[in-house]
């Protein structure tokens, strides 16, 4: 079942890349495994997917301890500063940096470990009150401030678009994030790359790819519906 889901998602990604005139290699599929058991991840691993996204630090750490070490873990949920220390060395990318205080905590922990932590700046493009993220207007200022940190490396931007039944509704937000990344790149800020755009989830990842996503975060489309009561 899960293998069939992955095949279907891959087919959709390829179709979106074809429509956009992009190479499939330009888009990384992150399987969002939050709330799902280790056995599900083990099954999806057989398809060759090595990138997995988690929302909670404790769950990521628990899975890290028991699953193969070649897995690339992505922290995609809101991150509290007191949890940062548990991620260093386990996570290839933190997608959800939305404040200088959080970035400074990542700097502190990465410096202690003598490593560099790759991050994305989370932008609340749609301006939803229920979502975390900096605003489009404040993003450049935040990027400049984080760029001064020696053990934190900005690799690009991330957004969580509104939940909608019509993926076309979110095209405007994906376009805005892409344009913001172009604007930031043009400023040639030291220690800043704008190579990654993490945008698009199960309901709208094809539209996100058409608008330039380099990472799509697909959970339900691979693992099925989640039971948040467990």
């Amino acid at each position: 079942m899960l293998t069939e889901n992955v095949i279907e998602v891959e087919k959709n990604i390829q179709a979106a890349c074809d429509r956009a005139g992009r190479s499939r290699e330009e888009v990384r599929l992150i399987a969002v495994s939050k709330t799902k058991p280790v056995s599900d991840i083990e099954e999806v691993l057989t398809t060759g997917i090595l990138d997995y996204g988690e929302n909670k630090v404790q769950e990521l750490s628990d899975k890290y301890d028991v699953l193969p070490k070649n897995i690339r873990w992505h922290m995609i949920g809101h991150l509290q500063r007191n949890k940062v220390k548990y991620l260093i060395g386990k996570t290839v990318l933190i997608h959800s940096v939305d404040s200088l205080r959080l970035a400074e905590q990542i700097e502190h922990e990465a410096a202690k470990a003598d490593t560099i932590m790759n991050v994305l700046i989370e932008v609340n493009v749609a301006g939803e009150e229920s979502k975390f993220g900096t605003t489009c207007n404040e993003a450049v200022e935040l990027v400049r401030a984080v760029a001064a940190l020696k053990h934190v490396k900005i690799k690009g931007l991330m957004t969580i678009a509104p939940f909608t039944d019509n993926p076309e509704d979110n095209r405007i937000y994906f376009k805005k994030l892409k344009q913001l990344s172009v604007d930031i790149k043009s400023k040639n800020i030291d220690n800043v790359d704008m190579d990654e755009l993490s945008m698009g989830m199960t309901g709208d990842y094809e539209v996100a790819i058409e608008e330039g996503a380099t990472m799509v975060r697909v959970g339900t489309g691979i693992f099925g519906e989640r039971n948040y009561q467990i």
Side-chain angles (χ1 to χ4, degrees):
M1 173 72 174
L2 300 187
T3 301
E4 290 168 9
N5 290 347
V6 171
I7 291 169
E8 184 67 20
V9 170
E10 280 289 350
K11 193 171 73 177
N12 294 339
I13 290 174
Q14 185 63 63
C17 287
D18 291 345
R19 289 193 298 272
R22 300 179 66 192
S23 162
R24 171 64 187 86
E25 282 65 49
E26 293 176 41
V27 181
R28 180 171 297 196
L29 171 57
I30 299 171
V32 178
S33 47
K34 64 180 183 180
T35 78
K36 294 298 180 178
V38 164
S39 57
D40 281 7
I41 299 174
E42 288 172 334
E43 183 178 340
V44 174
L45 272 171
T46 65
T47 70
I49 293 177
L50 290 176
D51 291 276
Y52 292 83
E54 289 288 339
N55 268 41
K56 291 188 163 47
V57 173
Q58 184 64 56
E59 190 174 352
L60 188 154
S61 295
D62 290 347
K63 290 173 178 175
Y64 175 90
D65 288 342
V66 298
L67 282 159
K69 291 300 178 271
N70 62 334
I71 288 178
R72 294 185 291 262
W73 292 103
H74 297 252
M75 179 62 193
I76 60 174
H78 180 63
L79 179 56
Q80 295 170 299
R81 297 198 309 281
N82 64 343
K83 300 284 180 68
V84 170
K85 60 189 172 191
Y86 303 113
L87 286 181
I88 304 300
K90 296 177 182 174
T91 316
V92 295
L93 186 64
I94 297 173
H95 290 231
S96 46
V97 173
D98 57 1
S99 71
L100 180 57
R101 289 181 74 194
L102 174 58
E104 286 172 340
Q105 188 64 41
I106 296 170
E107 164 69 22
H108 175 71
E109 298 296 343
K112 279 204 298 191
D114 193 25
T115 190
I116 292 174
M117 189 67 236
N118 291 328
V119 306
L120 304 179
I121 299 299
E122 181 175 359
V123 185
N124 186 354
V125 180
E128 291 185 282
E129 286 186 16
S130 61
K131 299 267 175 71
F132 294 100
T134 185
T135 66
C136 288
N137 290 337
E138 294 170 345
V140 177
E141 185 181 337
L142 179 57
V143 167
R144 286 191 190 280
V146 175
L149 304 174
K150 289 184 172 60
H151 296 85
V152 177
K153 175 72 175 179
I154 297 175
K155 305 297 282 187
L157 305 175
M158 180 269 239
T159 198
I160 301 173
F163 180 78
T164 175
D165 290 328
N166 181 7
E168 283 297 327
D169 293 345
N170 284 338
R171 191 178 294 274
I172 181 174
Y173 305 119
F174 299 143
K175 278 183 185 290
K176 277 188 177 178
L177 193 72
K178 172 65 176 179
Q179 187 56 54
L180 181 61
S181 78
V182 170
D183 293 346
I184 293 172
K185 184 170 183 152
S186 72
K187 298 182 187 304
N188 293 316
I189 304 167
D190 284 346
N191 195 33
V192 173
D193 292 338
M194 280 291 130
D195 297 336
E196 302 292 356
L197 273 183
S198 172
M199 60 187 193
M201 294 159 64
T202 293
D204 54 20
Y205 64 88
E206 291 185 67
V207 173
I209 290 168
E210 290 169 8
E211 296 302 333
T214 66
M215 295 180 171
V216 291
R217 311 179 303 273
V218 180
T220 304
I222 292 174
F223 293 101
E225 296 294 336
R226 289 187 171 79
N227 179 3
Y228 286 101
Q229 275 66 57
I230 55 173

